């Protein structure tokens, strides 16, 4: 159970969320033992997948498996990188979930939660159902003690040189009451010589 029975507000928002478990989208197991974060975290990153949009649980389950397969086989990550993915159907699809360290925003993975919207949002916005799902799950995250009440919301591009979460979605995020800009965390990796 995600809320205590006494927390009516939390339960009200949980009723507004179509949470889809890993079992329901037929996730493959993680390739490694999970690393866990200290809760609550104070940063949330918003992404877009730049893959297909999906408008039903069936379509989104296929999309989730495609994202997971890409992250595991091509990126060589242990699992799908995002903590949660939000379909255009308004479903909140559990990736790594609240507690597991993600692979979504280099330099921030162990101190933040990520939400990725299915699709590309450079020129359009996610559906109202998807945007409402994000708002509801953020409230639940605070109620569950997974997010600090004063959490900071960022677009992926705030931390990395990327177009994500898309220009239209980024413009919307910047008007959110929890939005806070940060400087990109550009990490330069220079391998040591093996000479």
């Amino acid at each position: 159970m995600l809320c205590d029975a006494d927390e009516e507000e939390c339960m009200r928002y949980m009723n507004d969320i179509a949470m889809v478990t890993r079992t329901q989208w037929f996730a493959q197991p993680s390739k490694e033992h999970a690393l866990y974060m200290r809760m609550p975290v104070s940063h949330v990153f918003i992404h877009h997948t730049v893959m297909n949009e999906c408008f039903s649980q069936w379509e989104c389950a296929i999309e989730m498996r495609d994202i997971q397969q890409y992250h595991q086989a091509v990126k060589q990550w242990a699992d799908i990188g995002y903590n949660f993915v939000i379909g255009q159907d308004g479903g909140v699809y559990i990736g790594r979930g609240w507690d597991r360290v993600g692979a979504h925003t280099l330099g921030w993975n162990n101190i933040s939660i990520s939400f990725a919207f299915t699709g590309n949002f450079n020129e359009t916005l996610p559906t109202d159902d998807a945007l409402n799902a994000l708002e509801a799950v953020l409230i639940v995250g605070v109620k569950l003690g997974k997010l600090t009440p004063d959490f900071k919301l960022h677009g992926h591009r705030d931390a990395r040189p990327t177009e994500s979460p898309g220009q239209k979605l980024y413009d919307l995020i910047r008007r959110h009451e929890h939005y806070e800009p940060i400087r990109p965390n550009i990490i330069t990796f220079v391998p040591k010589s093996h000479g």
Side-chain angles (χ1 to χ4, degrees):
M1 185 137 124
L2 293 176
C3 297
D4 292 334
D6 296 341
E7 296 184 23
E8 290 179 22
E9 184 179 11
C10 183
M11 288 302 293
R12 183 167 47 90
Y13 287 108
M14 282 305 298
N15 291 335
D16 291 341
I17 300 172
M19 192 70 75
V20 182
T21 67
R22 290 174 60 90
T23 300
Q24 290 173 310
W25 62 264
F26 305 100
Q28 293 298 310
S30 180
K31 292 182 176 185
E32 298 173 2
H33 292 292
L35 298 175
Y36 291 90
M37 294 184 282
R38 270 174 134 180
M39 292 294 165
V41 297
S42 57
H43 296 277
V44 173
F45 283 93
I46 305 299
H47 300 249
H48 67 171
T49 64
V50 194
M51 294 175 75
N52 295 320
E53 292 181 17
C54 56
F55 296 90
S56 70
Q57 187 171 327
W58 177 255
E59 289 177 348
C60 291
I62 293 168
E63 193 62 20
M64 288 296 291
R65 291 192 301 276
D66 288 348
I67 296 167
Q68 185 186 40
Q69 194 277 333
Y70 174 73
H71 286 180
Q72 287 182 319
V74 176
K75 297 276 194 178
Q76 295 294 304
W77 295 341
D79 204 340
I80 189 168
Y82 309 117
N83 297 93
F84 297 93
V85 176
I86 301 174
Q88 299 312 298
D89 61 339
V92 178
Y93 295 78
I94 299 173
R96 295 198 185 199
W98 290 112
D99 301 314
R100 290 176 57 204
V101 173
H104 51 82
T105 311
L106 187 61
W108 295 86
N109 290 325
N110 63 342
I111 59 169
S112 66
I113 296 289
S114 65
F115 293 92
F117 287 92
T118 60
N120 182 328
F121 299 102
N122 279 317
E123 297 180 15
T124 61
L125 285 171
T127 63
D128 287 344
D129 288 343
L131 293 170
N132 291 337
L134 174 64
E135 287 301 320
V137 78
L138 290 172
I139 291 167
V140 169
V142 171
K143 296 290 182 186
L144 294 174
K146 305 300 183 180
L147 299 173
T148 60
D150 62 344
F151 70 88
K152 306 302 181 220
L153 187 69
H154 316 287
H156 186 200
R157 68 174 60 182
D158 286 322
R160 304 295 303 152
T162 177
E163 288 188 6
S164 182
Q167 189 61 51
K168 286 281 192 185
L169 182 53
Y170 186 64
D171 290 343
L172 182 65
I173 289 167
R174 291 187 314 179
R175 295 193 306 266
H176 194 281
E177 65 179 308
H178 285 272
Y179 175 76
E180 183 174 281
I182 52 176
R183 293 179 33 167
N185 183 6
I186 315 269
I187 297 174
T188 306
F189 175 73
V190 180
K192 292 181 179 178
S193 171
H194 293 284

